[in-house]
Structure formats: structure tokens, C-alpha cells
Amino acid sequence: MSMSWHASSRPGQEAVEANAGRGLDVLARVLRSVPERLGAHMGGLYRLSDDRELLELVMTFGASRQFTRPWQRIGTTAPVPVAEAARSGRVVWVGGAEDMARRYPRVAVSMPYAFCLAAVPLVARGATYGVVFLLWPAAHAPALSPAERDALDALALRLAEVLAEAAGAGRPIRAGPRPAVAEDVTAARAGTMAARLPEGVCDIDLDGKLAEVTPTAAELLGEPVGRLLGARPWTALPWLRDPVYEYHYRAALISGNPTSFVALRPPDRWLSFQLFPDGSGVTVRIAAADGDRSAGTPAERAEHTRPGALYHLLHLASALTEAITVQDVVSMVSEQILPAFGGQAVAVLMAEGGRLRIAGHRGYPPGLVDRFDGTPLTESTPGVQASTNPVPAFFESRAELERLYPDRHETQDGMAAWAYLPLVTSRRLIGTCVLAFAEPHRFDVEERAVLTSLGGLIAQALDRARLYDTKLVLAHGLQESLLPHALPAVPSLEISARYLPATEGMEVGGDFYDLIRVGPDAVAVVIGDVQGHNVHAAALMGQVRTAVRAFAAADADPSTVLARTNRLLNDLDTNLLASCTYLCVDLARREARLATAGHPVPLLYGRDGRARAVEPIVGMVLNVDPAAEYPQIRIDLPIGTILVLYTDGLIETPGADLGQAQADLTATLARHGGEPLDRLADALIGRAGHAEHRTDDVALLLVRSVPREP
């Protein structure tokens, strides 16, 4: 097996042909050589769309449209190998089924076969033009060899140069309505030779259709050759319509490995089928099974998933499980689902209060869809009809839609075909999902079935997301009402505070802080953290904050405030724990008494520019032992001193060393302690403020001792 792509005997031949409008022929010739040179049995080439948001399948080899249809257009943000290769600019190698399930579970669900895969970005002249992907049988080594990597690099460079030359000449190669197939149409089939064999032989092409059938095979199958040619076996032969038989064909073609099964031809004749795949299809050898029935048992049939449309739905369903909010659902449909059908835009409409409401949309010009928000449900529009009637509607052209809705103003959306999918969940019609296409689009029977089923999946995801959004609004409203909107001005003290919610889960936590005037020359400063990130945590946080305020108003010292709060939590019969630091500042003496209940230790910045951790006697967290005691210490706060109080979200991150994180925070305080307090707060919040994924909320409270204004 040769693994090198040599330069053409005529320099720039591929470029000349591409500029002459034969770029697809060049790509096909290069891809046809892949099986011989690299041993891959299947693959294809994606082109990056002009807006660089989609990968569009231009050409395949060894694959049928049945397999590639769900992957014909892929968003560049999708969690699949080809999209990752385009994003990262690096080769992505998947070394088998287990590796695929671990790294790309969505692909593993929709293609449950054993194979290895490489996705290679096509980069030329500093720009990425697309991705080429190749499949090998599962017997391939777990990693690519150095020679294979060199060959892949050479292949990618050759393909990228063809795409670059065509684009540079103003005639870029684009994906057609269906991917082109890089097959050798001149290849002759050995039908005469196969006819001489004692067993039956037939040839199934990449579309699953019988291309050749020997007379012996036709006799064994019980049908004339003329009726079998051009038909799919599981369509022409009723006794092969069990999905398990098509599964074997798919498994052989995608994995590149031979397989076999036994089937019963009624009334009592068992036949064995041996499948031998290559890049152009599958050769099937058929013989009498001599009573071997093992492969056709109901038990085996139960082990396999129905192929075709169901695999497509599994892929889409796995994508929707990742959506959390309503906007997540809209984004997921737009980025992960719409491209698979060649759509241009999506809108989700809900029927609320007698009017049509726009829950979200993508792909339309700004402001266009918003004009239809609030449309009365009494108007005759396809959006209203689909939102009030659980029957899908498909319009393959503008003329078809305007025949039914001649006064429809929505035809101004610039689209040419539409699918209106009713969103029904728990027998409730909650709205409609509109998929819009920029060109006229034919919805065949299978696509209509898939889209209709997809409407149910979107409805379930949307229903969950609406419930989540409702809870989130409630929780955020509760939390905002419980945290102080502004801290009171206190003579002799400068105060600055920051709060960052978590970015995962309900994004609502139990962190809190407060500043309480407890006398003419005294102020209480409190910071705490209630366990959890949900409405219960926020509610308990409000109770703790209220309790602390009440006990502080009674002029209690820090030890007493924490002890009483602890007993109150025990009486509330909650399983949630809480940590807290409480200090009472004497403004006249410029000193503070401090007690803590399992909370991160405060930091102190002195007038000498040094920063250190305050080391109080840390008491037990609240709500563990009702008899717990909380010793207090005294801290001097001369002018210029800064006390830093914070919650654990500022220093605790998964995989990080807690001691090192606290040391880094102390070092940051030492470097920026002389700056204005707000700038210091921004410096301390640091990486937590820029993190995309925070598993915990963060509260920060800074107290600086300053001269009293006259």
C-alpha cells in the first residue's frame, strides 16, 4: 500500500484544472486514490461556508447518502470530530468505538459501529478551507503511524490547494444539494464471473440497492432478477424487512469489516448471507444455511437499533439533552439540527394570552421576526395555525404557501420553503418550531417523518427549558431581593463589594454579605456562604442574613451572634450547612472583634504594604452542632489597614491546590493594596471574574480604615 501523494507530472496541473472549472474532478481523482494509498475505506470532504459557521459536505467516497444525510451540514461549534478539526486547526484522531463514545458520545449514539476516524483541516495560504475525514476498519492500530500522518498531511495540502486555487480564481467549489460521489464510473462489474459460482452472489451499491444479482442468487431469494435489480433487499423481500438485516449492511459498510447473518425465507428455508464491503459497495454471498439459525433469532434482533431515520433522531435527541434554557434550545436547533436539513433560519413561536409570542430565533435579518411578535391568534397565518393545531405543515416553495395564505405578510422573510412543526408535550400544544429554507426544498416522506418526530423532541426540551427559566427568574429575583442593593456609608471606613453568580446549574447560590450599623461608633461586617446553588440555598441565605441582623441589633458580640444563628438553623430543620465570618468594628478605637464559623480566613493588608492571613480560632460550620461555640479574637485596624473577606468560590476551583490559591490571593493583595479600593476589588476577583465556567458563586467584601471626615 503506497502512502504518498506525488506531485503531478505537469506543475500546477490541479490548479489549472480547478481554474478551468473542473475542481470537483480533481478532488474526486485525489479522493479515489485514498483507499489504495492510506487503506481508508470511506471518507469525504467538507467545505467551510462563506460565513465560516458551517461545514458543508462537498464529496464522499465509500459512503451512501443514507449515512451522510444527517451530517451533510454541520455547525462549526458542534461537538463532532470534523468541527473540532476546523476549530482547532489540528488533526483529530479517534482510535475506535470506545474512544468515540468517550470523546464524542453524540456521534457514537447515531453511528454505533466499530471504526477509526481521522479529521484533517484543509489549510492553504494561511486560511482554512474545510476538513477531510477518513474511516478505517476497527482493526487499525490505536494510533496513526508517522508514515500515515505524513500521508494525511500531503493529502490535506493537495485538497486545500485545489480549493484555494478555485476560490482565488473567483470560482469557489461549493457543496451541491447532494454531496458528489468520488467513484470510478468506468469500473466494470464481474457479473459473468460471479454467475459461474455455485452459490449466489449479488452486489449492493452505496445506496443500498442491488446492482448485480446472479441467477443462482435470484433463485435462492425466490424472486426474478428483473424485480431485484435497482431495489433494496429489505424493500423487495418482505422477509428481510427486520431492521437487523439492514443493520448488518450498514455495519459492514461503515466499519469496513466483513459480517454475516442467517435469515429465514418462508416457509422453512434458512439462508446464510456473507457481506464483503469495499469503497464501492458490498458483495454478498448467499448459500443454504443447513439449519444454522443463530443469526436470525429474535434475541439478536432485539439487540440492534432500527437504522436510518432513527439514528438521525438519536443524534438530534442527544444534542437537545444539552440545552438548559429556552435560548439554549433555539441555539441548539439552529447550530446542530438546522444545518443537517439544509435550513437557513429557525424561529420558535409560543401561543400565550391569545397572541403569538416569539420565544427565540436565529438566522433571520435583525428585527424581521420581532414584527410578528404579538400576532393575534385569530389571524390566518401558518404560524398561528401550527401553534393552535397539532398538525405539521410543509411548504416546499413560496408559491405553495401563498396558495393557502394569499394575504400572508410573513412571505417578506426572504425564505423560499418552510416546515412548521407543532410542539406537543404531555398532550399539550405549547407552540411551533419554524424551519426556513433559502431555496425551494423538497420534503420527502422520510424527512417529514424525521422532522415531525423532531418537533416532539424540541417540545420536550423547550418545556424543560421554560421550567428552568421560570425557576431561574424566581431564584434570581429572590437572591437580588436578599442581597443589599447598596452598603451604607460609614465614617472612618471605605467599603467595596463584589458578587459573581455561578455559571453552572441554577446559577444561584447562597453567598451573602452585609454591613450593619449597631451603634454610633460601631458597625458589624458579615460574610457567609450557604451550601447549594438553588432556590433553597437562596432562601436559607435570606433567613441567615435576617437572623444575623436581628442578633447584631441586640448589641451581641461576634461569638454570641454566631452561636445564636447556629441554634436557629438547627431549629429550622434544614440539612443545608452554612459558613460565616462576623466582626464588629469599633470605629473610635479602630479595632475589631472577629469570630468565624468554618469560613475561609480573612486577609489583612497593613500600612507597611505587607499582606497576611488573619488566623482566628475557626469554629464549626453552622447547623452541625447546636451547642457549638465560636471564640473571637481582636484585630487592630489603624488607618490604611484593609480587611479582605471572601467566600470559598474565590479560591476553590476543581483541580487547584487550595493552599496555593490562598497564597496567590495574598500576593495579589500585597501588589495592589495601595490602589483605590475598587481597583483592588477588581484585581482580587481576578480570574474568577473572567472564567466562563464557575461552579460556585463568589462574594468579596473589602473594608479599609480611613481618616474620619471632619
Side-chain angles (χ1 to χ4, degrees), residues 282-319:
V282 175
T283 298
V284 183
R285 187 164 64 190
I286 309 170
D290 296 329
D292 181 2
R293 300 164 172 78
S294 60
T297 63
E300 176 181 307
R301 292 195 293 270
E303 292 176 358
H304 297 290
T305 308
R306 180 171 296 276
L310 182 54
Y311 286 160
H312 199 172
L313 285 175
L314 287 172
H315 167 66
L316 303 178
S318 61

Side-chain angles (χ1 to χ4, degrees), residues 11-375:
Q13 179 182 5
E14 281 77 12
V16 171
E17 291 178 344
N19 289 337
R22 293 183 298 195
L24 282 174
D25 293 338
V26 181
L27 296 178
R29 187 169 64 250
V30 174
L31 289 178
R32 280 199 299 268
S33 65
V34 168
E36 178 185 354
R37 298 186 177 186
L38 266 167
H41 64 277
M42 184 182 293
L45 182 146
Y46 282 96
R47 172 190 177 271
L48 199 58
S49 63
D50 294 337
D51 59 10
R52 310 189 73 78
E53 293 184 356
L54 290 176
L55 288 168
E56 302 171 332
L57 190 57
V58 175
M59 183 174 293
T60 66
F61 71 90
S64 75
R65 177 166 167 75
Q66 298 177 70
F67 304 151
T68 60
R69 186 173 184 176
W71 313 96
Q72 194 167 331
R73 292 175 178 83
I74 298 175
T76 53
T77 60
V80 299
V82 291
E84 183 178 335
R87 292 192 303 267
S88 66
R90 298 190 300 271
V91 175
V92 174
W93 170 254
V94 182
E98 291 186 5
D99 194 18
M100 183 71 77
R102 182 176 65 255
R103 296 165 57 192
Y104 306 101
R106 193 182 303 171
V107 179
V109 166
S110 57
M111 296 185 68
Y113 310 110
F115 59 88
C116 299
L117 178 145
V120 188
L122 304 180
V123 181
R125 309 174 192 183
T128 300
Y129 287 89
V131 175
V132 62
F133 71 94
L134 305 176
L135 273 66
W136 286 263
H140 188 285
L144 290 167
S145 68
E148 286 175 320
R149 283 194 171 271
D150 291 342
L152 279 175
D153 290 341
L155 169 65
L157 181 59
R158 174 65 59 89
L159 296 172
E161 284 293 342
V162 174
L163 295 174
E165 288 290 346
R171 289 183 288 272
I173 297 173
R174 302 184 185 278
R178 295 188 177 187
V181 178
E183 65 177 349
D184 188 355
V185 297
T186 65
R189 301 190 177 273
T192 302
M193 182 175 63
R196 302 191 188 104
L197 298 175
E199 58 271 295
V201 176
C202 61
D203 182 19
I204 305 179
D205 65 19
L206 294 178
D207 286 326
K209 297 178 180 179
L210 288 161
E212 291 284 344
V213 181
T214 66
T216 304
E219 181 183 352
L220 289 168
L221 295 174
E223 295 288 348
V225 172
R227 187 175 183 277
L228 294 172
L229 288 176
R232 293 184 172 92
W234 34 89
T235 301
L237 303 169
W239 47 276
L240 282 182
R241 289 179 184 173
D242 191 308
V244 68
Y245 302 127
E246 187 182 355
Y247 173 88
H248 281 293
Y249 162 74
R250 288 171 169 266
L253 201 58
I254 294 179
S255 69
N257 292 322
T259 186
S260 63
F261 62 88
V262 174
L264 174 65
R265 174 191 155 188
D268 56 3
R269 190 171 188 183
W270 288 88
L271 301 176
S272 70
F273 295 79
Q274 293 178 290
L275 284 64
F276 302 92
D278 66 8
S280 62
V282 175
T283 298
V284 183
R285 187 164 64 190
I286 309 170
D290 296 329
D292 181 2
R293 300 164 172 78
S294 60
T297 63
E300 176 181 307
R301 292 195 293 270
E303 292 176 358
H304 297 290
T305 308
R306 180 171 296 276
L310 182 54
Y311 286 160
H312 199 172
L313 285 175
L314 287 172
H315 167 66
L316 303 178
S318 61
L320 287 169
T321 59
E322 301 174 11
I324 298 175
T325 67
V326 170
Q327 292 307 311
D328 286 344
V329 174
V330 176
S331 297
M332 196 67 68
V333 173
S334 172
E335 298 170 7
Q336 311 294 340
I337 295 174
L338 191 64
F341 296 94
Q344 176 69 27
V346 60
V348 176
L349 316 177
M350 314 289 286
E352 295 178 352
R355 293 185 177 273
L356 202 62
R357 298 298 180 186
I358 309 298
H361 61 88
R362 295 285 189 282
Y364 288 101
L368 177 66
V369 177
D370 296 333
R371 300 205 315 254
F372 306 110
D373 191 37
T375 300

Side-chain angles (χ1 to χ4, degrees), residues 578-664:
S579 65
C580 185
T581 291
Y582 180 95
L583 66 150
C584 186
V585 180
D586 187 322
L587 301 175
R589 298 183 178 182
R590 294 190 181 274
E591 66 177 25
R593 291 168 294 154
L594 181 149
T596 184
H599 202 77
V601 298
L603 302 180
L604 193 67
Y605 178 82
R607 289 186 297 178
D608 57 1
R610 295 182 180 181
R612 64 179 178 87
V614 178
E615 298 184 359
I617 302 174
V618 180
M620 188 174 295
V621 293
L622 304 175
N623 200 29
V624 173
D625 179 7
E629 297 182 353
Y630 300 92
Q632 63 186 25
I633 63 171
R634 189 181 66 83
I635 303 173
D636 290 327
L637 296 176
I639 293 175
T641 302
I642 302 174
L643 192 62
V644 179
L645 307 175
Y646 55 94
T647 56
D648 56 7
L650 187 61
I651 57 174
E652 290 184 4
T653 55
D657 179 80
L658 183 60
Q660 185 59 49
Q662 193 169 46
D664 292 344

